[in-house]
Amino acid sequence: MSGTQLTVTLSGGGADDARAVVRALEGTFGAPDERPADEKATVHTATFGGEAQAGPGDGDGQGADRLSAPVTVTVQGSPEAVRRASDTLTAAFTARDDGAASGDQEQERQLLLEP
């Protein structure tokens, strides 16, 4: 697993909200495998696997889209990738940390992003 590989699962809100969250992460992780598109889906996922486009925590939240509803985001990957994703999302949105779980080489963190 690359140090920047990250899986993001989003629930709540709609596809536009999911796309806003993914766009916020693109500045730190580059383009995802694909962007959320299914308007009827209740859960969206995106995987970032390329090289980072910015340094750790460089997402500054400037120009972030507004959310229409609360979105629960679960980020999973290396501890460094999860930390960078959490830093980026808390800078871009009003966020509440809902906890983390750590494994041998991966970490998972859940955030609630609010409009």
Side-chain angles (χ1 to χ4, degrees):
M1 170 185 286
S2 159
T4 60
Q5 186 169 2
L6 183 78
T7 301
V8 181
T9 306
L10 307 107
S11 61
D16 287 339
D17 295 318
R19 286 189 288 265
V21 173
V22 168
R23 278 192 299 271
L25 291 168
E26 286 178 339
T28 301
F29 293 96
D33 57 350
E34 63 182 78
R35 287 169 181 77
D38 186 351
E39 297 295 329
K40 295 180 184 180
T42 57
V43 176
H44 299 275
T45 60
T47 301
F48 296 86
E51 290 302 313
Q53 300 298 308
D58 282 351
D60 63 4
Q62 297 302 312
D65 296 330
R66 303 262 316 145
L67 300 175
S68 66
V71 176
T72 299
V73 178
T74 303
V75 292
Q76 181 180 17
S78 71
E80 175 66 12
V82 169
R83 183 193 63 75
R84 292 175 62 204
S86 297
D87 290 350
T88 298
L89 293 174
T90 57
F93 302 100
T94 301
R96 181 181 78 205
D97 187 340
D98 280 350
S102 295
D104 284 346
Q105 297 183 18
E106 285 193 343
Q107 188 175 50
E108 180 177 291
R109 178 168 301 281
Q110 186 169 320
L111 301 169
L112 177 65
L113 307 182
E114 300 177 352

